[in-house]
């Protein structure tokens, strides 16, 4: 017997499993490439990722994978997060301006 909670949990687990490798790939790209090749939005994200990774450092080698997992686990709030941030008076998260940004061109090349 499958309850609706089983379905919700399954959707969440699939979404997390789908998102985690993509988050990891994106973060490893933006943190290892030359920041000059990134747009402003991605450079901001690079800075915050590196700062958070530094904060998570005391967890040792599992720190960054945990951070990626946490980010991936929140995939379902992503569509609402601009509204949340606005409600609490924070600036919207930087987004990629595409164009010549390396994070954008690399992703296109990989697709
Ligand atoms: Zn970008």
């Amino acid at each position: 017997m499958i309850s609706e909670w089983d379905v919700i949990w399954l959707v969440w687990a699939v979404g997390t499993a789908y998102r985690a490798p993509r988050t990891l790939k994106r973060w490893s790209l933006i943190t290892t490439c030359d920041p000059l090749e990134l747009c402003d939005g991605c450079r901001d994200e690079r800075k915050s990722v590196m700062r958070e990774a530094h904060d998570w450092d005391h967890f040792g080698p599992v720190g960054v994978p945990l951070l990626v997992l946490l980010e991936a686990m929140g995939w379902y709030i992503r569509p609402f997060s601009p509204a949340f941030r606005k409600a609490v008076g924070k600036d919207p998260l930087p987004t990629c301006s595409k164009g010549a940004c390396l994070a954008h061109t690399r992703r296109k090349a990989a697709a």
Side-chain angles (χ1 to χ4, degrees):
M1 189 62 195
I2 295 177
S3 74
E4 58 264 48
W5 285 109
D6 291 335
V7 175
I8 290 169
W9 191 87
L10 193 71
V11 167
W12 173 78
V14 168
T16 302
Y18 175 85
R19 193 166 167 90
R22 277 157 187 81
T23 301
L24 187 63
K25 222 161 140 189
R26 176 174 165 77
W27 285 0
S28 70
L29 170 67
I30 63 173
T31 54
T32 53
C33 75
D34 186 343
L36 291 175
E37 289 186 86
L38 295 172
C39 67
D40 289 346
C42 292
R43 216 174 302 152
D44 275 2
E45 189 179 347
R46 172 191 160 98
K47 252 190 280 176
S48 73
V49 167
M50 285 176 131
R51 199 174 44 220
E52 279 188 69
H54 182 78
D55 290 345
W56 282 71
D57 240 14
H58 57 264
F59 286 101
V62 295
V64 170
L66 260 179
L67 181 62
V68 169
L69 198 63
L70 267 182
E71 158 77 20
M73 278 159 66
W75 61 269
Y76 57 94
I77 54 167
R78 275 258 153 166
F80 309 108
S81 98
F84 274 145
R85 293 183 74 88
K86 216 171 158 185
V88 295
K90 279 194 183 178
D91 287 333
L93 282 173
T95 51
C96 187
S97 66
K98 315 248 164 88
C101 172
L102 189 72
H104 178 63
T105 53
R106 274 282 181 86
R107 193 156 57 175
K108 248 189 358 203

